[in-house]
Amino acid sequence: MQAGEILRSEHPADTVIQIKKLSHSYGKKQIYHDLNLTIKAGTVFGLLGKNGVGKSTLINILMGYLEPSAGQCVVFGEPSHCLSANTRQRIALLYEGFTSYDYMSIQQVERFFAPFYRRWKQNIFYDLIDRMDVQLEQKLSSLSFGQKSQVVLGLLFAQDADLLILDDYSMGLDAGYRCLFIDYLKNYIRDTNKTVLITSHVMSDLEKLVQQVAIVDRSSAVYQSSMSDFCQQFHCYETAKISDEFISSYTEVHRIEHKLNSTRLYSFMPHNELEQHVHHPLTKVDICFEERFLGFVGKY
Amino acid sequence: MVYKAIYKKEWFKLRWSALALCVVALSSASYFWFNLDFTFKSIEPESMMWYRFAQLEDKPYASLAPFFLFSALVIAVAQFLPEIIRNRVRILTHLPCPLRTVVAHHLIAGSLSIFSINTLMTLALITIIRRYYPDEIVLVAAKDCLFWSLLALALYLGLSAAIIERNRWRKAYKLLFPVLLSLLYFKNRYASQDLILIALILWLTLPVYDSFLSVKVQRVKSILYHLSIGAVCLLIVSVGITRYQQEYRHFVEQYYIFYSPIINDFIYQKNGQGHQFSYGTQTTTFDRQEYEHLLPFVYWKNLDIQGKLPFTLHGQQYDKQRIKAARLSLQYHPASLDTKEVALYPLFNPISHKGVIPFPEEVFAIKHDRIVVYDCETIQPEPLLTEQTNALLKQQHVQFPIDTMWGKITNMKPYDWGYFFKDNLGRLFNLKRGDNTLTVNEVLVPQQVGEIVHMQISENRQQNVYGYAINHLSQVYLISYPNYKFIPLRLDGFDYQTMTFHLISDPIQYIVRYHDDKIYHAALFNRDFQFLKSVTLDSASSQFSH
């Protein structure tokens, strides 16, 4: 029995990605410690975190480009570092920075990738390209970054893969291209069982897209939840100016943020309960997902 | 379709570099043509250029050799540098196709580019060479180009492996392979054992595959691969040592041993480092002045300047003419055993009443079953001379293929004794031309001489000896003139494969000194070549023995 077969037998059929007890560090800086993560088929999973906390590291480990210090990553039942060609066929991968063959034209790059994928959807690729004012003979290097990103995304969507891993799709894109991408992605995965693992630091785009989140911060712990639970359970409260020393004794407070004349507290605890704990009157503040995310990971 | 996609991608990437290399190839070849044409027009006769190629191994196209390696460097960089910029190589490793297939087709694409560019250069070079040289030289040029192309492929693969590799240390050692291979196999003359380059080229695909695997933190795990790295390292070391010995090892004579007719003893000059010399016999040492005084036949010119000639020794008077007339020097070095890459020999034709020997327009080539005489002006066989030569060879029952040809291949000699050669049956013949007459004579070699492994022909004014011959047992014979008598020289301990010798004559005696860098011997003979005495000097202990 091969190692891959053992993993497959332990791997539930609806699980696309399974990470077990994964640890990784760069020198003395630990990025992940004993991370367990499961992504089910059909899920849009957001791997969120500020710049430099290890989102791309996890993607690189998942795709076998990095070797974790410990633990195991399994994608479609196969160890991530030695995925078979058939499994790679099922995974569309967007590399950070929209890496592609800049010396090829739009048409050439499509013709290059097409023969490798059995389910190649040429119409999807050209549908995205047609939305831009570009010539098919134009080299990728001559396109604007936004235009190039559309070409790369077109190549990804055309693969008709079961799993899309989109590493920092928003990098370098203006609001227009980001919107175009999110709208297209939503339509693309609607009524399908496609799984999406997406990383970004632009939170506003993700709120209505992502179903499950894992938030990576500078600690080696990773917060995992559904998007709706996170939005419903993680609150922001405001109170009169209080000191850090006073509040630091309350573990229920996730983060404290000082404003000019007030202090904001971020916590998973409901309003009343937290008020009783901190013995201070609190006002619940309505915040967007991005503020909620920053409340969780901190601004600095 | 997948393969086609890869080749197309590589074509888009490599086309401009390949085109630029083609332009460089054609420009370099054009310049080479211009230069060669100029050289041929400024040298008279043209056969001198053939002589330089065949006898001095002066290959005019050698300056084009770096192009072959340059093409490999350019293609490797043009093909794989874009892959590592922004880590594009990850795209390749994620393609839904076995990685070894992806790697193989990339390498085939790169290799085909290099092969095509180098073939263009080779064809251009061959086309040019054919206009000036005979087929024998054209074949050598084609062979050299083939080996340079093979070396280019090895360099390409090694560089590709180093460029793609992610680990810094492994990158360094993978870079070391092509660098060392280039140093060791970039040379002027190739032999069949250099075909090991083909095996190295095939092996080098493994480090490239290993480098691609490194992108996904994988390695070639086969124990055979790791063992093969050791084997290749050993091969490189062994080839390196051999090459070093071939190129740089030279016999440094630490001792010059002479025989002084004044004190009737062997005396030496020790050549120390830093131009330090010491002189002496086995029992005493002396200064340079004394040393020169003890060797009047060696330093006779000093005596001449000092007005001390003629001088009297043992009742005999020796003047300048007598000393000069007796002088003869014959040397041997194991490197003399190396055969020439091209068997082309100028067919001298001294005209006795005209004086110095002109360099001939005719050159003969030894073929498998005949000799072909070329006319250098037309680069075509000279039918009459060719026919005449082969008729004479047939008349003498010469059996082809001819084994070895010996001769003093220069016109800077008082007269020409032609060439001596061994036929397929081991019989010795003398082929020469003079006064427009070609002759082939069998030289009867006494049975006890056995197999001759080397001959040195020396056209000297004394006309005592044709030169010397060495047989397979390292016995040295002088060949007397004009009766081809084989006179054995007793040189105890002489080994033709490892030792040099130097025969020097003066009006009283002959001395032959021979050594292997460690043990120095000298043997003294009278004017009738009868052994008188010998001495051995161990350079390590500086001790004499008789």
Side-chain angles (χ1 to χ4, degrees), chain A residues 47-95:
Chain A
L47 183 63
L48 312 180
K50 294 193 296 180
N51 284 339
V53 294
K55 302 187 298 288
S56 292
T57 297
L58 188 60
I59 299 285
N60 280 328
I61 291 172
L62 264 176
M63 295 320 300
Y65 299 125
L66 270 179
E67 192 172 22
S69 315
Q72 196 181 46
C73 284
V74 177
V75 183
F76 289 120
E78 291 181 7
S80 61
H81 59 269
C82 52
L83 297 174
S84 65
N86 276 339
T87 300
R88 293 202 294 272
Q89 182 91 235
R90 299 174 67 190
I91 306 168
L93 186 55
L94 171 69
Y95 300 94

CSV table of all heavy atoms in Angstrom, one decimal, chain A residues 47-95:
chain,number,residue,atom,x,y,z
A,47,LEU,N,-8.2,32.9,4.0
A,47,LEU,CA,-7.0,32.8,4.8
A,47,LEU,C,-6.6,34.3,5.0
A,47,LEU,O,-6.1,34.9,4.0
A,47,LEU,CB,-5.9,32.0,4.2
A,47,LEU,CG,-4.7,31.8,5.0
A,47,LEU,CD1,-5.0,31.0,6.3
A,47,LEU,CD2,-3.6,31.0,4.2
A,48,LEU,N,-6.9,34.8,6.1
A,48,LEU,CA,-6.8,36.3,6.3
A,48,LEU,C,-5.6,36.6,7.2
A,48,LEU,O,-5.4,35.9,8.2
A,48,LEU,CB,-8.1,36.9,6.8
A,48,LEU,CG,-9.4,36.4,6.1
A,48,LEU,CD1,-10.6,37.1,6.7
A,48,LEU,CD2,-9.3,36.7,4.6
A,49,GLY,N,-5.1,37.7,7.0
A,49,GLY,CA,-4.0,38.2,7.9
A,49,GLY,C,-3.3,39.4,7.3
A,49,GLY,O,-3.5,39.6,6.1
A,50,LYS,N,-2.6,40.1,8.1
A,50,LYS,CA,-1.9,41.3,7.5
A,50,LYS,C,-0.7,40.8,6.8
A,50,LYS,O,-0.4,39.6,6.8
A,50,LYS,CB,-1.5,42.2,8.7
A,50,LYS,CG,-2.7,42.8,9.4
A,50,LYS,CD,-2.4,43.9,10.3
A,50,LYS,CE,-1.5,43.4,11.5
A,50,LYS,NZ,-1.1,44.5,12.4
A,51,ASN,N,-0.1,41.7,6.1
A,51,ASN,CA,1.1,41.4,5.4
A,51,ASN,C,2.2,40.8,6.3
A,51,ASN,O,2.4,41.2,7.4
A,51,ASN,CB,1.8,42.6,4.7
A,51,ASN,CG,1.0,43.1,3.5
A,51,ASN,OD1,0.2,42.3,3.0
A,51,ASN,ND2,1.1,44.3,3.1
A,52,GLY,N,2.8,39.7,5.8
A,52,GLY,CA,4.0,39.2,6.5
A,52,GLY,C,3.7,38.3,7.7
A,52,GLY,O,4.6,37.9,8.4
A,53,VAL,N,2.4,37.8,7.8
A,53,VAL,CA,2.1,37.0,8.9
A,53,VAL,C,2.2,35.5,8.6
A,53,VAL,O,2.2,34.6,9.4
A,53,VAL,CB,0.7,37.3,9.6
A,53,VAL,CG1,0.7,38.6,10.2
A,53,VAL,CG2,-0.4,37.1,8.6
A,54,GLY,N,2.3,35.2,7.3
A,54,GLY,CA,2.4,33.8,6.9
A,54,GLY,C,1.4,33.2,6.0
A,54,GLY,O,1.2,32.0,5.9
A,55,LYS,N,0.6,34.1,5.4
A,55,LYS,CA,-0.5,33.5,4.5
A,55,LYS,C,0.1,32.8,3.3
A,55,LYS,O,-0.2,31.6,3.0
A,55,LYS,CB,-1.4,34.7,4.0
A,55,LYS,CG,-2.1,35.5,5.0
A,55,LYS,CD,-3.1,36.5,4.4
A,55,LYS,CE,-2.4,37.5,3.5
A,55,LYS,NZ,-1.6,38.5,4.2
A,56,SER,N,1.1,33.5,2.7
A,56,SER,CA,1.7,32.8,1.5
A,56,SER,C,2.5,31.6,1.9
A,56,SER,O,2.7,30.7,1.1
A,56,SER,CB,2.6,33.8,0.7
A,56,SER,OG,1.7,34.8,0.2
A,57,THR,N,3.0,31.7,3.1
A,57,THR,CA,3.8,30.5,3.6
A,57,THR,C,2.9,29.3,3.7
A,57,THR,O,3.3,28.2,3.2
A,57,THR,CB,4.4,30.9,5.0
A,57,THR,OG1,5.2,32.0,4.9
A,57,THR,CG2,5.1,29.7,5.6
A,58,LEU,N,1.7,29.5,4.2
A,58,LEU,CA,0.8,28.4,4.2
A,58,LEU,C,0.4,27.9,2.8
A,58,LEU,O,0.4,26.7,2.6
A,58,LEU,CB,-0.5,28.7,5.0
A,58,LEU,CG,-1.4,27.6,5.4
A,58,LEU,CD1,-0.7,26.5,6.2
A,58,LEU,CD2,-2.7,28.0,6.1
A,59,ILE,N,0.2,28.8,1.9
A,59,ILE,CA,-0.1,28.4,0.6
A,59,ILE,C,1.1,27.6,0.0
A,59,ILE,O,0.9,26.6,-0.7
A,59,ILE,CB,-0.4,29.6,-0.3
A,59,ILE,CG1,-1.6,30.4,0.2
A,59,ILE,CG2,-0.6,29.3,-1.8
A,59,ILE,CD1,-2.9,29.8,0.0
A,60,ASN,N,2.2,28.2,0.2
A,60,ASN,CA,3.4,27.5,-0.3
A,60,ASN,C,3.6,26.1,0.3
A,60,ASN,O,4.1,25.2,-0.4
A,60,ASN,CB,4.7,28.3,-0.1
A,60,ASN,CG,4.8,29.5,-1.1
A,60,ASN,OD1,4.4,29.3,-2.2
A,60,ASN,ND2,5.3,30.6,-0.7
A,61,ILE,N,3.3,26.0,1.5
A,61,ILE,CA,3.4,24.6,2.2
A,61,ILE,C,2.3,23.7,1.5
A,61,ILE,O,2.6,22.6,1.2
A,61,ILE,CB,3.2,24.7,3.7
A,61,ILE,CG1,4.4,25.4,4.3
A,61,ILE,CG2,3.0,23.3,4.3
A,61,ILE,CD1,4.3,25.7,5.8
A,62,LEU,N,1.1,24.3,1.4
A,62,LEU,CA,0.0,23.5,0.8
A,62,LEU,C,0.4,23.0,-0.6
A,62,LEU,O,0.0,21.9,-1.0
A,62,LEU,CB,-1.2,24.4,0.7
A,62,LEU,CG,-2.2,24.2,1.9
A,62,LEU,CD1,-3.3,25.2,1.7
A,62,LEU,CD2,-2.7,22.8,1.9
A,63,MET,N,1.1,23.8,-1.4
A,63,MET,CA,1.4,23.5,-2.8
A,63,MET,C,2.8,22.8,-2.9
A,63,MET,O,3.2,22.5,-3.9
A,63,MET,CB,1.4,24.7,-3.7
A,63,MET,CG,0.0,25.3,-3.8
A,63,MET,SD,-1.3,24.1,-3.9
A,63,MET,CE,-0.8,23.2,-5.4
A,64,GLY,N,3.4,22.5,-1.7
A,64,GLY,CA,4.6,21.7,-1.7
A,64,GLY,C,5.9,22.5,-2.0
A,64,GLY,O,6.9,22.0,-2.2
A,65,TYR,N,5.8,23.9,-2.1
A,65,TYR,CA,6.9,24.7,-2.4
A,65,TYR,C,7.8,24.9,-1.1
A,65,TYR,O,8.9,25.4,-1.2
A,65,TYR,CB,6.5,26.0,-3.0
A,65,TYR,CG,5.8,25.8,-4.3
A,65,TYR,CD1,4.6,26.4,-4.5
A,65,TYR,CD2,6.4,25.1,-5.4
A,65,TYR,CE1,3.9,26.2,-5.7
A,65,TYR,CE2,5.7,24.9,-6.6
A,65,TYR,CZ,4.5,25.5,-6.7
A,65,TYR,OH,3.8,25.3,-7.9
A,66,LEU,N,7.2,24.6,0.0
A,66,LEU,CA,7.9,24.8,1.3
A,66,LEU,C,7.7,23.5,2.1
A,66,LEU,O,6.6,22.9,2.0
A,66,LEU,CB,7.4,25.9,2.1
A,66,LEU,CG,8.0,27.3,1.9
A,66,LEU,CD1,7.3,28.3,2.8
A,66,LEU,CD2,9.5,27.3,2.2
A,67,GLU,N,8.7,23.1,2.8
A,67,GLU,CA,8.6,21.9,3.7
A,67,GLU,C,8.3,22.4,5.1
A,67,GLU,O,9.1,23.2,5.6
A,67,GLU,CB,9.9,21.2,3.6
A,67,GLU,CG,9.7,19.8,4.2
A,67,GLU,CD,11.0,18.9,4.0
A,67,GLU,OE1,12.1,19.5,3.7
A,67,GLU,OE2,10.9,17.7,4.0
A,68,PRO,N,7.2,22.0,5.7
A,68,PRO,CA,6.9,22.4,7.0
A,68,PRO,C,7.9,21.8,8.0
A,68,PRO,O,8.4,20.7,7.8
A,68,PRO,CB,5.5,21.9,7.3
A,68,PRO,CG,5.3,20.8,6.4
A,68,PRO,CD,6.1,21.1,5.2
A,69,SER,N,8.1,22.4,9.2
A,69,SER,CA,9.0,21.9,10.2
A,69,SER,C,8.4,20.6,10.7
A,69,SER,O,9.1,19.6,11.0
A,69,SER,CB,9.2,22.9,11.3
A,69,SER,OG,9.4,24.1,10.8
A,70,ALA,N,7.1,20.6,10.8
A,70,ALA,CA,6.4,19.3,11.3
A,70,ALA,C,5.0,19.4,10.8
A,70,ALA,O,4.5,20.4,10.4
A,70,ALA,CB,6.4,19.3,12.8
A,71,GLY,N,4.3,18.2,10.8
A,71,GLY,CA,2.9,18.1,10.5
A,71,GLY,C,2.7,17.6,9.1
A,71,GLY,O,3.7,17.2,8.4
A,72,GLN,N,1.5,17.6,8.7
A,72,GLN,CA,1.1,17.0,7.4
A,72,GLN,C,0.1,17.9,6.7
A,72,GLN,O,-0.8,18.4,7.3
A,72,GLN,CB,0.5,15.7,7.8
A,72,GLN,CG,0.4,14.7,6.7
A,72,GLN,CD,-0.3,13.4,7.2
A,72,GLN,OE1,-1.3,13.4,7.8
A,72,GLN,NE2,0.3,12.3,6.8
A,73,CYS,N,0.2,18.0,5.4
A,73,CYS,CA,-0.7,18.7,4.5
A,73,CYS,C,-1.2,17.7,3.5
A,73,CYS,O,-0.4,17.1,2.8
A,73,CYS,CB,-0.1,19.9,3.8
A,73,CYS,SG,0.2,21.2,4.9
A,74,VAL,N,-2.5,17.6,3.4
A,74,VAL,CA,-3.0,16.6,2.4
A,74,VAL,C,-4.1,17.4,1.5
A,74,VAL,O,-4.9,18.1,2.1
A,74,VAL,CB,-3.7,15.4,3.1
A,74,VAL,CG1,-4.3,14.5,2.1
A,74,VAL,CG2,-2.7,14.7,4.0
A,75,VAL,N,-3.9,17.3,0.2
A,75,VAL,CA,-4.8,17.9,-0.7
A,75,VAL,C,-5.4,16.8,-1.6
A,75,VAL,O,-4.7,16.0,-2.2
A,75,VAL,CB,-4.1,19.0,-1.6
A,75,VAL,CG1,-5.1,19.7,-2.5
A,75,VAL,CG2,-3.4,20.0,-0.7
A,76,PHE,N,-6.7,16.7,-1.6
A,76,PHE,CA,-7.4,15.7,-2.3
A,76,PHE,C,-6.8,14.3,-2.0
A,76,PHE,O,-6.6,13.4,-2.9
A,76,PHE,CB,-7.3,15.9,-3.9
A,76,PHE,CG,-8.2,17.0,-4.3
A,76,PHE,CD1,-7.6,18.1,-5.0
A,76,PHE,CD2,-9.6,17.1,-4.1
A,76,PHE,CE1,-8.4,19.2,-5.4
A,76,PHE,CE2,-10.3,18.1,-4.6
A,76,PHE,CZ,-9.8,19.2,-5.2
A,77,GLY,N,-6.4,14.1,-0.7
A,77,GLY,CA,-5.9,12.8,-0.3
A,77,GLY,C,-4.5,12.5,-0.6
A,77,GLY,O,-4.0,11.5,-0.3
A,78,GLU,N,-3.8,13.5,-1.2
A,78,GLU,CA,-2.4,13.3,-1.5
A,78,GLU,C,-1.5,14.3,-0.7
A,78,GLU,O,-1.9,15.4,-0.5
A,78,GLU,CB,-2.1,13.4,-3.0
A,78,GLU,CG,-2.8,12.4,-3.8
A,78,GLU,CD,-2.5,12.5,-5.3
A,78,GLU,OE1,-1.7,13.4,-5.7
A,78,GLU,OE2,-3.1,11.8,-6.1
A,79,PRO,N,-0.3,13.8,-0.3
A,79,PRO,CA,0.6,14.7,0.4
A,79,PRO,C,0.9,15.9,-0.5
A,79,PRO,O,1.1,15.7,-1.7
A,79,PRO,CB,1.9,13.9,0.6
A,79,PRO,CG,1.5,12.5,0.4
A,79,PRO,CD,0.3,12.5,-0.5
A,80,SER,N,0.8,17.1,0.0
A,80,SER,CA,0.9,18.3,-0.8
A,80,SER,C,2.2,18.4,-1.6
A,80,SER,O,2.2,19.1,-2.6
A,80,SER,CB,0.7,19.6,0.0
A,80,SER,OG,1.7,19.7,1.0
A,81,HIS,N,3.3,17.9,-1.1
A,81,HIS,CA,4.6,18.1,-1.8
A,81,HIS,C,4.8,17.1,-2.9
A,81,HIS,O,5.7,17.2,-3.7
A,81,HIS,CB,5.7,17.9,-0.8
A,81,HIS,CG,5.8,16.6,-0.1
A,81,HIS,ND1,5.1,16.5,1.1
A,81,HIS,CD2,6.3,15.5,-0.4
A,81,HIS,CE1,5.3,15.2,1.5
A,81,HIS,NE2,6.0,14.6,0.6
A,82,CYS,N,3.9,16.1,-3.0
A,82,CYS,CA,4.1,15.2,-4.2
A,82,CYS,C,2.7,14.8,-4.8
A,82,CYS,O,2.3,13.7,-4.9
A,82,CYS,CB,4.8,13.9,-3.8
A,82,CYS,SG,4.2,13.0,-2.4
A,83,LEU,N,2.0,15.9,-5.2
A,83,LEU,CA,0.7,15.7,-5.8
A,83,LEU,C,0.9,15.1,-7.2
A,83,LEU,O,1.8,15.4,-7.9
A,83,LEU,CB,0.1,17.1,-6.0
A,83,LEU,CG,-0.3,17.9,-4.7
A,83,LEU,CD1,-0.8,19.2,-5.1
A,83,LEU,CD2,-1.3,17.1,-3.9
A,84,SER,N,0.0,14.2,-7.5
A,84,SER,CA,0.1,13.5,-8.8
A,84,SER,C,-0.4,14.5,-9.9
A,84,SER,O,-1.0,15.5,-9.6
A,84,SER,CB,-0.8,12.3,-8.8
A,84,SER,OG,-2.1,12.6,-8.7
A,85,ALA,N,0.0,14.2,-11.1
A,85,ALA,CA,-0.4,15.0,-12.2
A,85,ALA,C,-2.0,15.2,-12.3
A,85,ALA,O,-2.5,16.2,-12.5
A,85,ALA,CB,0.1,14.5,-13.5
A,86,ASN,N,-2.6,14.1,-12.0
A,86,ASN,CA,-4.1,14.1,-12.0
A,86,ASN,C,-4.7,15.0,-10.9
A,86,ASN,O,-5.7,15.7,-11.2
A,86,ASN,CB,-4.7,12.7,-11.7
A,86,ASN,CG,-4.7,11.9,-13.0
A,86,ASN,OD1,-4.7,12.5,-14.1
A,86,ASN,ND2,-4.7,10.6,-12.9
A,87,THR,N,-4.0,15.0,-9.8
A,87,THR,CA,-4.5,15.9,-8.7
A,87,THR,C,-4.2,17.4,-9.0
A,87,THR,O,-5.0,18.3,-8.8
A,87,THR,CB,-3.9,15.5,-7.4
A,87,THR,OG1,-4.3,14.2,-7.1
A,87,THR,CG2,-4.4,16.4,-6.2
A,88,ARG,N,-3.0,17.6,-9.6
A,88,ARG,CA,-2.6,19.0,-10.0
A,88,ARG,C,-3.6,19.5,-11.1
A,88,ARG,O,-3.9,20.7,-11.1
A,88,ARG,CB,-1.2,19.0,-10.6
A,88,ARG,CG,-0.1,18.7,-9.5
A,88,ARG,CD,1.2,19.3,-9.9
A,88,ARG,NE,1.8,18.6,-11.1
A,88,ARG,CZ,2.5,17.5,-11.1
A,88,ARG,NH1,2.8,16.9,-10.0
A,88,ARG,NH2,3.0,17.0,-12.2
A,89,GLN,N,-4.2,18.6,-11.8
A,89,GLN,CA,-5.2,19.0,-12.8
A,89,GLN,C,-6.4,19.6,-12.2
A,89,GLN,O,-7.1,20.4,-12.8
A,89,GLN,CB,-5.6,17.7,-13.6
A,89,GLN,CG,-6.6,17.8,-14.6
A,89,GLN,CD,-5.9,18.0,-16.0
A,89,GLN,OE1,-6.3,18.9,-16.7
A,89,GLN,NE2,-5.0,17.1,-16.4
A,90,ARG,N,-6.6,19.2,-10.9
A,90,ARG,CA,-7.8,19.6,-10.2
A,90,ARG,C,-7.6,20.9,-9.4
A,90,ARG,O,-8.5,21.4,-8.7
A,90,ARG,CB,-8.3,18.5,-9.2
A,90,ARG,CG,-8.7,17.2,-10.0
A,90,ARG,CD,-9.0,16.1,-9.0
A,90,ARG,NE,-10.2,16.4,-8.2
A,90,ARG,CZ,-10.6,15.7,-7.2
A,90,ARG,NH1,-9.9,14.7,-6.8
A,90,ARG,NH2,-11.7,16.0,-6.6
A,91,ILE,N,-6.4,21.4,-9.4
A,91,ILE,CA,-6.0,22.6,-8.6
A,91,ILE,C,-5.6,23.7,-9.4
A,91,ILE,O,-4.5,23.6,-10.1
A,91,ILE,CB,-4.9,22.2,-7.6
A,91,ILE,CG1,-5.3,21.0,-6.7
A,91,ILE,CG2,-4.6,23.4,-6.7
A,91,ILE,CD1,-4.2,20.4,-5.9
A,92,ALA,N,-6.3,24.8,-9.4
A,92,ALA,CA,-5.9,26.0,-10.2
A,92,ALA,C,-5.2,26.9,-9.2
A,92,ALA,O,-5.8,27.2,-8.1
A,92,ALA,CB,-7.1,26.7,-10.8
A,93,LEU,N,-4.0,27.3,-9.5
A,93,LEU,CA,-3.2,28.0,-8.5
A,93,LEU,C,-2.8,29.4,-9.0
A,93,LEU,O,-2.2,29.6,-10.1
A,93,LEU,CB,-2.0,27.2,-8.3
A,93,LEU,CG,-1.0,27.6,-7.2
A,93,LEU,CD1,-1.7,27.7,-5.9
A,93,LEU,CD2,0.1,26.5,-7.1
A,94,LEU,N,-3.2,30.4,-8.2
A,94,LEU,CA,-2.8,31.8,-8.6
A,94,LEU,C,-1.6,32.1,-7.7
A,94,LEU,O,-1.7,32.1,-6.5
A,94,LEU,CB,-4.0,32.8,-8.3
A,94,LEU,CG,-3.6,34.2,-8.4
A,94,LEU,CD1,-3.3,34.6,-9.8
A,94,LEU,CD2,-4.7,35.1,-7.9
A,95,TYR,N,-0.5,32.4,-8.3
A,95,TYR,CA,0.7,32.7,-7.6
A,95,TYR,C,0.7,34.2,-7.2
A,95,TYR,O,0.2,35.0,-8.0
A,95,TYR,CB,1.9,32.4,-8.4
A,95,TYR,CG,2.0,31.0,-8.8
A,95,TYR,CD1,1.5,30.5,-10.0
A,95,TYR,CD2,2.6,30.0,-7.9
A,95,TYR,CE1,1.6,29.2,-10.4
A,95,TYR,CE2,2.6,28.7,-8.3
A,95,TYR,CZ,2.1,28.3,-9.5
A,95,TYR,OH,2.2,27.0,-9.9
